[in-house]
Amino acid sequence: MASTFHGLETARRSLFTTQSALNTTGHNIANANTAGYSRQVVNMTASRPIDAVGYSKSVAAGQLGTGVEASSITRVREKFLDNQFRNEYKSHGNFTVQLDTLTKLEGIVNEPSETGLRTVISNFWNSWSDLSKNPENADGRKVVMEQTLAMVDAFNYTAKQLSDLKADLTENVEININTVNSLTASIAQLNGEIRRVEGLGDSANDLRDQRDLLTDQLSGLVNIRVEDQANGYRITMGNVELVENQTAGTVDMASITAAFNSGNLNSGAIYGTIHSRDHFVEGYINELDKMVQTMANGEFEVTLPKGSVLPEGTVLNGVTYTGPNRTLAEDTTVTVKGLNGLHQLGYNLAGDDPGLPFFTDGSGGTAGLTASNITLNPDIVANSNLIASSMRVAINADGSETVITGNNSLAVLFSQMRDTRIDFDAGTGESKNTIDAYFRSVVGQLGVQTAEATRMQANQQIIVEQVDSRRQSVSGVSLDEEMSNMIKFQHAYNAAARNMTMIDEILDKVINGMGRVGL
């Protein structure tokens, strides 16, 4: 036989369970816009029924139910979608950084435009063409000097911008490394807190949400693999362990660089930053340096006109020109080492001295020229008359020589360098091109790389949004659904309360009214 107070206990359980459901619904509504929050549900089960006590089966109709219990409060989460999101998010971080770097590179190169390198290089060739029309004009030499200074300044400034961008990327790597260490430390701490809470029999839903949100953020920085173990998350980056239960590993620039080189780091924002720095930025620094070095010292063939008088001791194609054989009896094709070598084949307005090296590194050196240190020879800057344009001298009665300043042979050769193919592979002869065409190829390559990065980033953005949308459809809070649940649980609570009132009235009758007949 059931207890007199059995119905009261059943109603009580119903009230407490539906109240838990209402509180959970309110919690869901409050966190509808909380990043990383997963919808929570109360799992209700029928409580254990009452068995009749005795040696034989009770005459009562079956077991007597005892109501409902909230067995647990769990979050709605699908592990497969979490793993898929993290796998796609790492690639999104990689391509986003690459696109950002290439976009900045396009801003630095700034081509095509009327203020970029191609324009100042073109102005440089044009100034030599103008000088060839009036080689005796000192003003023409000043124009050449100014246009050359403008060109080397453009190289220097572009090189500085590239160097600054490289330094910025290195700094971003260091910042992201600190973020990784902070995230892994927080995840390890949450592992401990979750283990403590769930060790008492409760579900640490909100703590698990926080841990998953931090793990998602970590996946955008580096490629990770997550294992949900009994003691918490174990997170690895390739063979590098980042989190093991309550212990967080730390990374620094040296370990990240080693992981990048070994392949353990192969995606994420940090990978994209290092790849952009070492492949894109460093690559264009090298291309610009190669362009400068080739212009100044690269080998090319030029035809020297008949009657040209080479400076004493000039060595071309293994032939040393000295004494009477300095005067060319016919047009002669020779190999010259860059504009520096070409300029030293002529004579300047200052006298019969041969031309100086046209480009230096500012201290007189010519071998290690780069875009960052190239400059016009300081002697020429101090005296523009040292710019050579003539390749003819007159023999005086005393045997001395006088420069024929009206000759424009060298100035013409300089102006023709616009269309001259120079060896860009240090004497191998496998990559000959004009300066302008080479720079166009570099700019074209940048455009192709940017277009590809844009496509990849856009595709990855779509994939991430699709996966996240599917994840939100499972774990996200729907206000419409929660309002429906609220009404459902509210009616259930009201019904349980009405049931308890009814039981109370029955008990009141039993306790206070039974045995009093006729009163």
Side-chain angles (χ1 to χ4, degrees):
M1 179 178 178
S3 167
T4 304
F5 297 95
H6 171 76
L8 191 64
E9 177 64 18
T10 300
R12 182 193 69 81
R13 285 177 175 162
S14 179
L15 282 172
F16 283 5
T17 301
T18 52
Q19 186 177 28
S20 295
L22 282 169
N23 291 336
T24 301
T25 300
H27 186 54
N28 288 338
I29 293 172
N31 288 279
N33 297 314
T34 300
Y37 179 80
S38 302
R39 177 168 56 92
Q40 297 180 14
V41 296
V42 176
N43 300 309
M44 302 181 186
T45 59
S47 57
R48 184 171 180 176
I50 295 177
D51 293 323
V53 180
Y55 290 106
S56 60
K57 184 179 182 300
S58 171
V59 295
Q63 294 179 320
L64 186 61
T66 59
V68 66
E69 288 180 345
S71 59
S72 63
I73 300 176
T74 58
R75 60 182 190 146
V76 180
R77 195 90 177 189
E78 190 171 334
K79 184 178 179 180
F80 170 77
L81 292 177
D82 285 338
N83 291 335
Q84 189 176 16
F85 176 83
R86 290 160 189 162
N87 285 334
E88 299 299 339
Y89 196 48
K90 65 183 181 183
S91 298
H92 176 268
N94 174 22
F95 291 122
T96 298
V97 172
Q98 290 191 27
L99 176 59
D100 180 67
T101 302
L102 288 168
T103 302
K104 291 178 180 177
L105 281 172
E106 284 192 326
I108 292 173
V109 174
N110 193 27
E111 293 291 349
S113 71
E114 296 181 357
T115 58
L117 271 173
R118 287 180 61 185
T119 298
V120 294
I121 293 174
S122 178
N123 292 340
F124 171 74
W125 301 131
N126 292 338
S127 67
W128 278 102
S129 178
D130 293 339
L131 179 61
S132 69
K133 298 173 184 177
N134 191 4
E136 296 179 280
N137 188 357
D139 291 339
R141 282 172 166 75
K142 291 181 180 179
V143 172
V144 170
M145 181 184 73
E146 293 299 332
Q147 293 295 354
T148 305
L149 289 174
M151 181 179 68
V152 296
D153 284 346
F155 278 121
N156 297 159
Y157 182 67
T158 302
K160 183 180 183 302
Q161 287 182 301
L162 291 173
S163 179
D164 290 344
L165 178 56
K166 181 178 177 180
D168 287 343
L169 291 174
T170 300
E171 184 178 353
N172 287 341
V173 172
E174 294 173 346
I175 292 172
N176 285 332
I177 286 175
N178 292 333
T179 303
V180 167
N181 289 331
S182 176
L183 290 173
T184 55
S186 297
I187 292 172
Q189 181 181 359
L190 285 170
N191 277 343
E193 294 179 7
I194 292 170
R195 182 182 179 187
R196 177 182 59 81
V197 171
E198 295 187 347
L200 300 175
D202 297 322
S203 296
N205 296 320
D206 293 329
L207 293 178
R208 283 182 171 270
D209 284 342
Q210 293 177 30
R211 185 177 65 180
D212 281 331
L213 178 60
L214 295 177
T215 305
D216 290 345
Q217 294 172 359
L218 182 62
S219 70
L221 296 175
V222 296
N223 52 288
I224 59 173
R225 182 172 181 270
V226 182
E227 299 177 44
D228 191 358
Q229 300 180 336
N231 294 328
Y233 278 177
R234 179 177 183 267
I235 301 177
T236 55
M237 178 184 67
N239 295 328
V240 180
E241 191 170 88
L242 298 178
V243 177
E244 174 67 28
N245 300 332
Q246 300 179 47
T247 303
T250 57
V251 294
D252 53 23
M253 182 62 77
S255 61
I256 283 292
T257 302
F260 178 85
N261 293 331
S262 65
N264 285 320
L265 175 61
N266 54 43
S267 194
I270 292 181
Y271 171 86
T273 306
I274 296 176
H275 178 78
S276 298
R277 181 194 65 188
D278 296 346
H279 181 70
F280 295 136
V281 180
E282 187 66 30
Y284 284 104
I285 289 175
N286 293 336
E287 294 285 4
L288 204 60
D289 288 344
K290 180 188 287 188
M291 182 176 170
V292 165
Q293 182 62 233
T294 302
M295 176 185 287
N297 300 316
E299 292 185 354
F300 65 94
E301 290 187 347
V302 63
T303 300
L304 303 181
K306 176 182 177 180
S308 298
V309 181
L310 300 179
E312 179 67 30
T314 299
V315 179
L316 294 172
N317 293 8
V319 178
T320 301
Y321 293 86
T322 183
N325 72 344
R326 291 165 49 206
T327 302
L328 301 181
E330 58 185 12
D331 291 349
T332 305
T333 300
V334 296
T335 299
V336 178
K337 291 187 177 297
L339 298 187
N340 277 348
L342 182 61
H343 191 255
Q344 293 178 82
L345 297 181
Y347 303 92
N348 53 57
L349 288 182
D352 59 356
D353 294 330
L356 301 169
F358 199 69
F359 298 109
T360 71
D361 59 9
S363 61
T366 60
L369 293 181
T370 64
S372 62
N373 66 19
I374 187 173
T375 186
L376 179 61
N377 193 314
D379 293 334
I380 295 177
V381 175
N383 182 6
S384 61
N385 287 335
L386 294 179
I387 295 177
S389 62
S390 173
M391 298 189 71
R392 297 287 186 90
V393 295
I395 307 299
N396 300 320
D398 59 359
S400 63
E401 298 177 351
T402 301
V403 176
I404 300 176
T405 57
N407 179 262
N408 67 349
S409 298
L410 188 62
V412 170
L413 292 177
F414 259 89
S415 65
Q416 292 173 348
M417 286 298 298
R418 183 198 303 264
D419 302 316
T420 300
R421 296 170 64 85
I422 307 178
D423 186 2
F424 279 84
D425 278 339
T428 64
E430 296 180 357
S431 179
K432 287 188 175 182
N433 214 335
T434 65
I435 296 293
D436 292 347
Y438 183 81
F439 186 63
R440 284 198 300 271
S441 70
V442 172
V443 174
Q445 179 185 10
L446 176 58
V448 171
Q449 290 173 333
T450 305
E452 178 65 11
T454 301
R455 184 185 68 83
M456 293 299 295
Q457 195 276 339
N459 288 345
Q460 204 61 37
Q461 178 72 31
I462 293 172
I463 293 174
V464 168
E465 289 176 353
Q466 288 177 343
V467 175
D468 191 49
S469 177
R470 291 172 57 195
R471 189 166 66 162
Q472 288 300 317
S473 68
V474 174
S475 302
V477 175
S478 169
L479 291 178
D480 291 338
E481 182 180 354
E482 297 303 323
M483 292 301 293
S484 298
N485 288 339
M486 182 183 295
I487 294 173
K488 178 176 67 175
F489 296 139
Q490 181 185 10
H491 283 302
Y493 186 88
N494 291 339
R498 186 69 188 90
N499 181 41
M500 179 170 281
T501 301
M502 180 269 297
I503 298 298
D504 178 64
E505 292 175 354
I506 292 176
L507 292 176
D508 178 67
K509 189 64 175 176
V510 170
I511 296 171
N512 298 317
M514 289 182 68
R516 301 176 67 185
V517 181
L519 296 178

